[in-house]
Amino acid sequence: MSEQQFRQLEQHLARGAAAYGWPDNRWTLERVRVLIRARFDEAYTVQGVAKLLRRHGWYCQVPTQQTGRGDRLGGWLRGPNAKAR
């Protein structure tokens, strides 16, 4: 994925996962993988998506507690110290 494509991907990610039909705004590796395939016609493995996101300053937020509905919040976020693109 080129730098320009990754900037476009970040614009999609900024909209949140719910904008693409998922029930919440949490970005998981699988959701990002599906988005990349749909928007850029490129196939990545889940591990490849993780490496791609980390390379560009994203990190996985691990939930510390469950919500009242029983689901766990968390997902991939852009790091505060990542370079602005």
Side-chain angles (χ1 to χ4, degrees):
M1 176 172 274
S2 71
E3 290 297 318
Q4 179 182 4
Q5 287 175 317
F6 191 83
R7 285 191 298 274
Q8 291 172 355
L9 174 63
E10 286 188 313
Q11 291 172 355
H12 290 291
L13 295 174
R15 293 183 65 198
Y20 296 94
W22 283 288
D24 57 44
N25 272 325
R26 184 174 43 104
W27 283 113
T28 64
L29 293 174
E30 178 62 18
R31 291 176 180 184
V32 175
R33 186 191 71 76
V34 169
L35 180 66
I36 290 170
R37 181 66 173 176
R39 299 294 172 185
F40 301 99
D41 197 29
E42 290 193 27
Y44 277 81
T45 63
V46 169
Q47 295 85 357
V49 172
K51 289 178 184 179
L52 177 70
L53 291 175
R54 283 190 200 106
R55 188 178 320 128
H56 288 88
W58 287 69
Y59 67 97
C60 183
Q61 179 184 34
V62 178
T64 58
Q65 61 185 0
Q66 289 187 334
T67 65
R69 297 175 304 183
D71 57 347
R72 296 177 65 96
L73 298 176
W76 284 80
L77 305 168
R78 191 151 195 275
N81 297 326
K83 288 188 215 175
R85 296 198 180 279

